[in-house]
Amino acid sequence: MAKQNLVVIGNGMVGHKFLDRMIAKGATQNWNLITFCEEPRVAYDRVNLSGFFNGKTEADLTLVEPEFYQNNGVQMYMGDRAIKIDRDRKCVTSANGITISYDKLVLATGSYPFVPPIEGKDAEGTFVYRTICDLEAIAAYAKTCRVGVVIGGGLLGLECANALKNLGLETHVVEFMPRLMPVQVDDAGGLILKREIEAIGVSVHTQKSTTKIVSENGRVHRMTFADDTELQTDMIVFSAGIRPRDDLARDCDLMIGDRGGIVINPACQTSDPDIYAIGECALHQNQIYGLVNPGYVMAGVAADNICGVDSRFDGADMSTKLKLLGVDVASFGDAFAKTSGARELTISDAIQGTYKKLVVDETATTLLGGILVGDASAYGSLLQLMHNKTALPPHPEDLLLPPRSGGENALLRVENFPDAAQICSCNNVSKSDICNAIRDNGLTDLASVKQCTKAGTGCGGCVPLVTDLFKAKLKQAGIEVKNHLCEHFAYSRQELYHLVRSSVSSQGESQQIHTFDQLLQRHGQGKGCEICKPAAASILASVWNEYILNPPHAGLQDTNDAFLANIQRDGTYSVVPRVPGGEITPDQLIVLGEVAKEFNLYSKITGGQRIDLFGARVDQLPHIWARLIEAGFESGHAYGKALRTVKSCVGSTWCRFGVQDSTSLAIALELRYRGLRAPHKIKSAVSGCTRECAEAQSKDFGIIATEKGWNLYICGNGGMKPQHAQLLAADLDKETLIRYIDRFLMFYIRTANRLERTATWFNKLEGGMEYLQQVIIEDSLGICAELEAEMAHQVATYDCEWKATINDPRKLQRFRHFVNSDQSDPNVIRVEERGQLRPAYEHERQLLTIGQP
Amino acid sequence: MQAITNQSTATRWITVCALNDILPDTGVCALVNNQQVAIFRVGEELYAIANYDPFSNANVLSRGIVGDRNGIPKVASPVYKQNFNLATGECLDNAEISVPTFSVRVMDQQVQVGATQI
Ligand SMILES: Cc1cc2nc3c(=O)[nH]c(=O)nc-3n(C[C@H](O)[C@H](O)[C@H](O)COP(=O)(O)OP(=O)(O)OC[C@H]3O[C@@H](n4cnc5c(N)ncnc54)[C@H](O)[C@@H]3O)c2cc1C
Ligand code: HEM
Ligand code: SF4
């Protein structure tokens, strides 16, 4: 049988999900899949669109694996909009003039942002918030602005306000209704939300009807309201709701709802049985679903039906939980108590800034819905109670309050949910799916559970539930997650760190642990090894900061630390002096050149804005360093698990785009944290403006200048597994910035595993960025004063290790190849390449040694 | 201090350094009859093996970190971290590889290496 044509209009989230479902079902055997994609890129994660402003790239957001469509034979018309459906001839025509006939047609055209008909709405400086292109335009324009206004205080509007604020604008939200998020929360909840959001520095204007947008010099300048007030602004983003894109369907006379939307039946068919509509453009029982999950369900239903499998769409839950500008907001079920006889129960706490409401049935035995503002931690559990119609306890308000007499509320514990309970609604993952995956695949970490089941990978709202479930399962299985350093210590690095550190405060000198031997004697066994010795050396250095080549410490160091240089494959070393911030004088450059020439060292510029001199024999190291130190250089700690470099761009001193002096800050930071030993190396960078030339977002801590101060990003990584750093705090002054970095670094040093970079550490950290913000900014653990004091000790006790070494003749004895001879290692053989020397490869070495004595 | 004394009567002892030249729990490299010998001081004991690391083809074993695995004294190569049994020269991570060992002792606070390989 010849293949039939299946045409999909729109390659958004739902259009893609539909194609994905069809391919998964093997439908490409019977169907030619063809799709029109109006945007210049394949489907991406619109739900996390705002991430685009927090460093997420197009590649991070895309939903389509590279080559996925090509490999599965999907014909994709990229950047081409369908403009006409001819139902008589069963064909679709596109803006680029392509006409394709269809056997079945699927409309997945989504919706467009509604722009109210206000005078001046098309002026330069007005935007909408729907696509990556919109965001690119907003970001570009915002650079020339000081003030931004969002029209519309709904869910999207608040998200958009957050984005404007992060772009450094003074941000206002203008809402026509008397409260924020009119669709999701009630008056009382809206009030709390407004207060919380204003506390974060976004101005909220409710009950304001915009009458006019006034431009000056061709750019938006101010807006006027019906109450004769006005507001000056440089740009405006409309977020006044969405409208289904039903124009194509309208033009070919498909049935359309009174207020728009393509009418569909439970099989997702429109009034023409050969045409389906799914996602935000579809109207099901007079309801448009403006969320992605119902759209995904529709995609599955349409794919089933087209493949001849009966399945139905029976409406979907519109419950949502979000974090808006740092404030938790959730709304679920019948939030406005519209069910007849429904009763409401509210708890409002103006001090904590929380508002919680439950809607229960007449007899107060089942939960119908609710609203949570300020603290939505109970959302996942309450949703379960509602879906499963679990009988409520005698005092339903208990569900909203801390437990009355110790112990948690058992009803809210994930262990007690029924197996069929849906835990992740974005990806429709049930409790039993997760339990089975843990059992069948022997999963022992949360990341694998997420990867394997997809739970928690959508909006992230269910992650706390997934975590609890995972922990409960492991506990049940009697699995104890062991984290012992090695056979010599039955402790993790974190525990050892604590043992060493807490020995500080106990009375009496003798209690203190200053050496590996003391640590081993008191807390370990055997003689140690290459795992625990360097780990202990690093811990001792992080706590006491003693010179690492002192006799009790010298034998603990990895070879790089032991010789204060980086070992290379032929056993020689490389030398990297510190060049703070990458700033170097011509005289210093000349010295480096002279030293390299004198000792015949291969020279290369590093990725960290300094110069690496390779090929120094052990016995040459002290001589090289004597020269370098004389010229004012100091150790660059390129050999240590320590702070490496703070890269910088030239910033406002030279660059015409710079808004702050990034170089001076980088130098100050590098000098502050130089020599700081940590579980792994630490890299940093400072950029002078958002163009980010110093690539700060790939660093353990990175700083980007804003008009108002500095944005601090943490836990990024280049290297093997690149990861973008995430924003910890914005617009900091220098003192606060340094305080936060002090706390962050010390907290990392305290808690990370051995050889764990900040990115890996962060990925395993329960609670993620929110948790770190609480610890570092809000001092939720009450340890910030300690962390700062520990850092202050580090800074005060810094000493250049090379200076200390060349000033001590006994230390220099170690820098000889032979203990009994001044000869150097004859095994080191060099060949010339591009005017410099490098180690010979094995095959060259054999040739070169022939004929030698 | 007791030294390892597997010596045969034919052994010629060559003094290489003072015991104090070797920091406790570290190693040094000595040139003995044109051979590079890595000498380690582990607790009360001395051990000597070849300095040549067959994995990296570099003369570096003396710069490795010493310790034990289940009580067996060992050194980890500083380049790719393979472990060698200090008493026998066997590689603990690859049974097919081993490095030569040497006899070593302390006389009058001087470290001496046996000139014939055992
Ligand atoms: C900033 C933001 C945050 C959001 N947050 C959430 C959230 O937290 N939770 C949630 O559930 N939902 C959220 N949503 C809503 C969610 O993104 C949508 O529900 C979802 O994207 C709908 O998918 P769709 O495929 O129906 O529409 P879309 O993703 O909009 O895709 C439609 C695609 O079709 C294309 N198209 C339209 N007409 C044509 C044509 N004639 N020819 C060719 N192509 C055409 C469009 O260009 C578009 O690319 C958010 C939306 C935004 C904008
Ligand atoms: C006006 C704009 C810019 C100018 C004039 C400029 C100029 C330069 C120059 C001269 C170099 C050095 C090239 C070399 O090593 O020989 C460089 C390197 C670099 N630039 Fe730019 N640049 C600009 C904008 C940017 C932007 C916007 C970014 C980042 C998005 C960027 C990222 C980089 C990177 C990553 C390097 C390499 C740095 C390294 O050596 O490690 N540049 N640039
Ligand atoms: S980041 Fe900004 S300030 Fe720094 S060099 Fe690039 S454009 Fe200039």
Side-chain angles (χ1 to χ4, degrees):
Chain A
M1 194 178 87
K3 284 200 198 178
Q4 297 191 298
N5 279 359
L6 175 58
V7 177
V8 183
I9 301 182
N11 190 243
M13 298 188 75
V14 174
H16 167 67
K17 179 62 98 185
F18 172 78
L19 289 171
D20 188 52
R21 302 267 28 130
M22 289 297 283
I23 290 165
K25 286 165 169 297
T28 42
Q29 297 213 330
N30 304 326
W31 298 93
N32 296 312
L33 301 181
I34 301 147
T35 185
F36 288 97
C37 174
E38 174 190 46
E39 292 185 56
R41 47 179 69 82
V42 290
Y44 52 88
D45 185 357
R46 207 177 301 285
V47 170
N48 288 304
L49 187 63
S50 302
F52 196 71
F53 285 136
N54 299 334
K56 285 239 165 77
T57 61
E58 219 182 299
D60 295 331
L61 290 179
T62 189
L63 295 175
V64 187
E65 302 260 326
E67 315 287 309
F68 176 76
Y69 286 149
Q70 289 90 316
N71 292 345
N72 288 292
V74 175
Q75 175 68 42
M76 154 74 65
Y77 292 97
M78 177 90 80
D80 196 3
R81 187 162 62 92
I83 51 169
K84 185 166 178 265
I85 301 170
D86 185 335
R87 284 168 55 199
D88 297 331
R89 291 173 43 223
K90 292 187 79 167
C91 63
V92 178
T93 307
S94 79
N96 287 353
I98 291 164
T99 298
I100 291 202
S101 64
Y102 66 81
D103 296 288
K104 299 275 181 205
L105 178 65
V106 176
L107 303 175
T109 48
S111 41
Y112 65 91
F114 169 66
V115 177
I118 299 170
E119 188 184 333
K121 70 181 165 55
D122 298 319
E124 167 125 7
T126 61
F127 298 88
V128 295
Y129 198 80
R130 175 98 198 158
T131 64
I132 290 188
C133 293
D134 294 337
L135 267 63
E136 283 171 343
I138 290 173
Y141 197 82
K143 294 207 172 82
T144 64
C145 299
R146 194 182 61 80
V147 185
V149 169
V150 177
I151 297 189
L155 202 150
L156 281 186
L158 294 180
E159 200 169 309
C160 175
N162 191 27
L164 292 191
K165 189 167 170 289
N166 285 341
L167 287 174
L169 301 191
E170 175 192 319
T171 306
H172 300 261
V173 172
V174 173
E175 169 60 50
F176 172 76
M177 298 281 282
R179 63 168 185 260
L180 292 174
M181 288 188 56
V183 183
Q184 285 87 358
V185 307
D186 56 15
D187 279 338
L191 209 62
I192 301 252
L193 185 60
K194 176 175 174 195
R195 251 204 319 258
E196 290 290 303
I197 284 174
E198 281 178 336
I200 300 162
V202 171
S203 310
V204 178
H205 313 267
T206 47
Q207 243 169 331
K208 287 270 181 197
S209 162
T210 311
T211 47
K212 200 158 125 192
I213 294 168
V214 184
S215 291
E216 231 167 63
N217 302 324
R219 291 168 56 109
V220 164
H221 179 62
R222 68 187 144 89
M223 48 204 294
T224 59
F225 303 111
D227 59 3
D228 283 339
T229 53
E230 58 176 46
L231 180 62
Q232 289 216 348
T233 183
D234 303 316
M235 67 186 292
I236 294 175
V237 183
F238 288 103
S239 178
I242 53 169
R243 296 288 182 272
R245 293 187 64 170
D246 52 16
D247 44 338
L248 278 178
R250 233 177 246 278
D251 293 346
C252 66
D253 296 325
L254 291 177
M255 195 194 288
I256 303 291
D258 293 341
R259 281 177 297 144
I262 309 167
V263 174
I264 57 169
N265 65 14
C268 296
Q269 275 163 318
T270 65
S271 53
D272 178 338
D274 286 334
I275 304 182
Y276 292 73
I278 55 179
E280 277 185 358
C281 63
L283 184 71
H284 171 263
Q285 295 192 344
N286 247 331
Q287 164 101 338
I288 293 272
Y289 290 95
L291 294 173
V292 70
N293 187 46
Y296 279 179
V297 177
M298 290 183 206
V301 168
D304 279 348
N305 282 300
I306 289 172
C307 294
V309 178
D310 226 10
S311 89
R312 289 169 59 90
F313 179 75
D314 289 319
D317 186 27
M318 292 283 271
S319 304
T320 9
K321 172 185 162 191
L322 341 128
K323 195 172 194 83
L324 292 164
L325 296 133
V327 182
D328 274 336
V329 182
S331 148
F332 56 97
D334 180 12
F336 292 95
K338 290 188 183 138
T339 314
S340 79
R343 298 198 287 173
E344 297 185 18
L345 189 162
T346 50
I347 293 176
S348 157
D349 180 343
I351 297 161
Q352 297 282 336
T354 61
Y355 169 83
K356 302 176 185 181
K357 174 169 100 175
L358 294 185
V359 177
V360 296
D361 69 347
E362 232 172 335
T363 56
T365 50
T366 53
L367 185 60
L368 299 176
I371 295 172
L372 306 170
V373 178
D375 168 18
S377 51
Y379 170 73
S381 309
L382 291 173
L383 201 62
Q384 295 297 333
L385 294 186
M386 180 179 84
H387 286 321
N388 301 311
K389 301 198 166 54
T390 311
L392 294 176
H395 300 279
E397 67 272 24
D398 286 1
L399 298 172
L400 299 178
L401 292 169
R404 289 186 175 219
S405 53
E408 280 177 84
N409 202 313
L411 263 187
L412 294 182
R413 284 227 306 269
V414 66
E415 297 99 291
N416 300 332
F417 292 175
D419 280 348
Q422 189 192 47
I423 303 286
C424 172
S425 52
C426 292
N427 294 304
N428 192 15
V429 186
S430 70
K431 178 180 166 188
S432 61
D433 292 339
I434 297 173
C435 295
N436 293 346
I438 294 173
R439 193 193 55 220
D440 298 347
N441 304 315
L443 304 180
T444 53
D445 65 295
L446 190 62
S448 314
V449 175
K450 286 197 201 168
Q451 196 184 7
C452 189
T453 61
K454 299 274 178 296
T457 58
C459 68
C462 64
V463 171
L465 276 185
V466 178
T467 311
D468 287 350
L469 182 56
F470 170 66
K471 282 196 186 152
K473 281 282 130 190
L474 278 196
K475 206 165 133 197
Q476 222 174 50
I479 295 176
E480 186 196 347
V481 188
K482 270 203 193 131
N483 202 1
H484 295 177
L485 200 56
C486 65
E487 67 179 75
H488 305 104
F489 290 96
Y491 296 102
S492 64
R493 178 192 174 278
Q494 185 176 357
E495 288 161 340
L496 281 183
Y497 188 94
H498 186 74
L499 289 172
V500 172
R501 202 185 68 83
S502 57
S503 75
V504 178
S505 48
S506 47
Q507 296 108 349
E509 280 291 299
S510 62
Q511 283 299 310
Q512 299 198 344
I513 295 177
H514 277 263
T515 67
F516 179 76
D517 284 344
Q518 292 167 342
L519 186 66
L520 191 67
Q521 216 170 44
R522 261 184 250 164
H523 303 290
Q525 61 187 34
K527 295 197 169 74
C529 65
E530 78 284 4
I531 310 263
C532 58
K533 282 184 170 179
S538 158
I539 291 172
L540 291 167
S542 295
V543 176
W544 305 112
N545 208 17
E546 285 174 12
Y547 175 53
I548 63 167
L549 295 187
N550 274 349
H553 309 315
L556 309 177
Q557 311 296 340
D558 255 326
T559 183
N560 284 353
D561 276 314
F563 292 93
L564 306 174
N566 293 48
I567 197 167
Q568 304 300 326
R569 64 182 171 87
D570 64 351
T572 63
Y573 289 86
S574 79
V575 170
V576 191
R578 185 169 299 290
V579 179
E583 185 183 81
I584 187 162
T585 65
D587 282 335
Q588 287 176 312
L589 274 176
I590 288 169
V591 170
L592 289 182
E594 283 172 354
V595 168
K597 239 171 145 170
E598 180 180 337
F599 293 91
N600 225 335
L601 304 175
Y602 168 94
S603 315
K604 191 170 191 309
I605 311 282
T606 71
Q609 300 186 338
R610 42 199 195 167
I611 296 172
D612 204 342
L613 307 175
F614 290 79
R617 298 186 316 261
V618 161
D619 52 289
Q620 291 177 320
L621 288 172
H623 303 289
I624 292 173
W625 272 106
R627 289 284 312 275
L628 293 175
I629 283 169
E630 197 186 344
F633 284 104
E634 49 179 28
S635 166
H637 291 92
Y639 45 79
K641 305 292 180 228
L643 178 86
R644 295 282 167 90
T645 66
V646 184
K647 277 174 66 169
S648 71
C649 69
V650 283
S652 57
T653 27
W654 287 91
C655 177
R656 63 202 159 102
F657 300 113
V659 294
Q660 306 269 359
D661 181 358
S662 44
T663 311
S664 294
L665 180 69
I667 293 172
L669 292 177
E670 184 157 344
L671 293 179
R672 180 171 182 80
Y673 301 117
R674 62 189 166 179
L676 175 69
R677 286 204 149 64
H680 211 310
K681 61 188 170 193
I682 299 173
K683 297 182 175 180
S684 176
V686 185
S687 280
C689 79
T690 63
R691 286 173 187 76
E692 241 285 65
C693 297
E695 301 170 316
Q697 288 165 99
S698 65
K699 302 299 177 196
D700 296 283
F701 63 101
I703 296 110
I704 302 177
T706 68
E707 304 269 350
K708 298 186 202 150
W710 305 98
N711 283 357
L712 174 57
Y713 295 80
I714 55 171
C715 302
N717 198 0
M720 197 147 69
K721 235 179 129 213
Q723 175 170 328
H724 274 115
Q726 293 189 24
L727 185 69
L728 177 81
D731 297 328
L732 303 172
D733 58 52
K734 188 174 158 195
E735 286 66 39
T736 315
L737 174 77
I738 289 178
R739 206 160 58 232
Y740 287 178
I741 301 174
D742 280 2
R743 296 174 179 180
F744 161 66
L745 289 176
M746 245 24 235
F747 188 57
Y748 160 66
I749 288 172
R750 270 195 187 189
T751 57
N753 285 322
R754 158 185 174 272
L755 300 187
E756 192 169 63
R757 288 290 295 272
T758 56
T760 329
W761 169 72
F762 176 77
N763 294 344
K764 288 193 205 159
L765 207 61
E766 253 172 59
M769 182 51 73
E770 218 174 290
Y771 173 70
L772 267 188
Q773 283 167 338
Q774 282 163 7
V775 173
I776 294 170
I777 301 173
E778 289 153 32
D779 197 7
S780 60
L781 300 179
I783 55 171
C784 285
E786 264 177 27
L787 298 177
E788 286 171 33
E790 286 166 12
M791 186 62 83
H793 173 74
Q794 285 287 327
V795 174
T797 52
Y798 166 81
D799 203 7
C800 170
E801 287 161 357
W802 265 110
K803 202 177 273 172
T805 306
I806 60 170
N807 289 337
D808 182 347
R810 278 173 317 164
K811 298 282 154 31
L812 287 180
Q813 276 196 349
R814 290 170 36 77
F815 290 85
R816 299 204 292 170
H817 189 79
F818 296 112
V819 70
N820 60 343
S821 159
D822 286 333
Q823 282 186 39
S824 53
D825 183 2
N827 188 36
V828 172
I829 296 172
R830 293 286 154 73
V831 294
E832 195 180 308
E833 188 167 86
R834 292 183 293 274
Q836 299 203 69
L837 294 181
R838 62 155 171 85
Y841 291 112
E842 204 48 40
H843 62 276
E844 296 165 330
R845 180 191 286 272
Q846 279 156 12
L847 286 176
L848 289 165
T849 46
I850 293 173
Q852 285 194 357
Chain B
M1 177 176 297
Q2 274 302 304
I4 295 245
T5 53
N6 260 353
Q7 88 241 52
S8 73
T9 43
T11 306
R12 196 163 56 87
W13 292 99
I14 297 175
T15 301
V16 293
C17 63
L19 182 62
N20 281 338
D21 290 339
I22 313 180
L23 283 176
D25 295 314
T26 67
V28 297
C29 172
L31 191 62
V32 180
N33 283 345
N34 251 337
Q35 295 189 70
Q36 298 198 17
V37 180
I39 305 167
F40 301 94
R41 179 173 169 187
V42 184
E44 304 287 288
E45 311 283 355
L46 283 182
Y47 300 94
I49 63 175
N51 192 36
Y52 184 80
D53 172 12
F55 293 97
S56 64
N57 298 312
N59 288 313
V60 291
L61 288 184
S62 63
R63 299 180 222 155
I65 291 180
V66 297
D68 78 304
R69 182 182 290 176
N70 298 321
I72 298 172
K74 62 161 183 98
V75 63
S77 161
V79 182
Y80 301 120
K81 316 284 169 189
Q82 288 87 359
N83 287 285
F84 296 89
N85 184 329
L86 286 174
T88 66
E90 287 163 328
C91 174
L92 298 172
D93 304 305
N94 182 341
E96 283 164 24
I97 305 277
S98 69
V99 296
T101 58
F102 299 82
S103 49
V104 58
R105 69 177 184 185
V106 178
M107 286 291 277
D108 302 330
Q109 293 303 300
Q110 298 292 307
V111 177
Q112 297 184 326
V113 175
T116 35
Q117 208 176 298
I118 330 172

